[in-house]
Amino acid sequence: PTLSPERLAGFHARAAKAGMEPYGSTPEQMHVVEHTDPSTFTPVRNEWQDFWDLVQVPKLLALVEAATHSQFEDIEADRVQ
């Protein structure tokens, strides 16, 4: 979803009224996150993704998932029976 500048300004005004500015709610403390349009699905490529690929985070996540997935399924199977 995309916020209009007016809705974003409203968000910042409500956050300021709630005392959230010290915790990162001011416009200067926020950033824009790239998203992929689901209708055209073009994978987002940026410096962060290149870095994660360089240090092989996807392989690490796959390893963690493979090591823990079956244990979780065993726990859930015991609860069901």
Side-chain angles (χ1 to χ4, degrees):
T2 302
L3 288 177
S4 68
E6 295 80 22
R7 287 187 70 192
L8 187 58
F11 163 80
H12 289 299
R14 289 188 304 278
K17 188 174 180 180
M20 299 301 293
E21 289 182 332
Y23 306 103
S25 69
T26 65
E28 296 80 22
Q29 295 170 314
M30 299 188 86
H31 63 280
V32 175
V33 177
E34 274 188 82
H35 292 276
T36 300
D37 181 356
S39 65
T40 58
F41 191 68
T42 305
V44 175
R45 291 303 311 171
N46 57 34
E47 292 175 355
W48 279 106
Q49 287 181 316
D50 293 339
F51 174 74
W52 297 134
D53 289 342
L54 178 69
V55 297
Q56 299 184 352
V57 168
K59 287 183 180 180
L60 176 61
L61 292 174
L63 178 64
V64 169
E65 194 277 334
T68 60
H69 185 73
S70 62
Q71 291 173 355
F72 176 75
E73 286 183 339
D74 291 343
I75 292 168
E76 288 301 307
D78 289 341
R79 287 185 194 168
V80 173
Q81 295 175 357

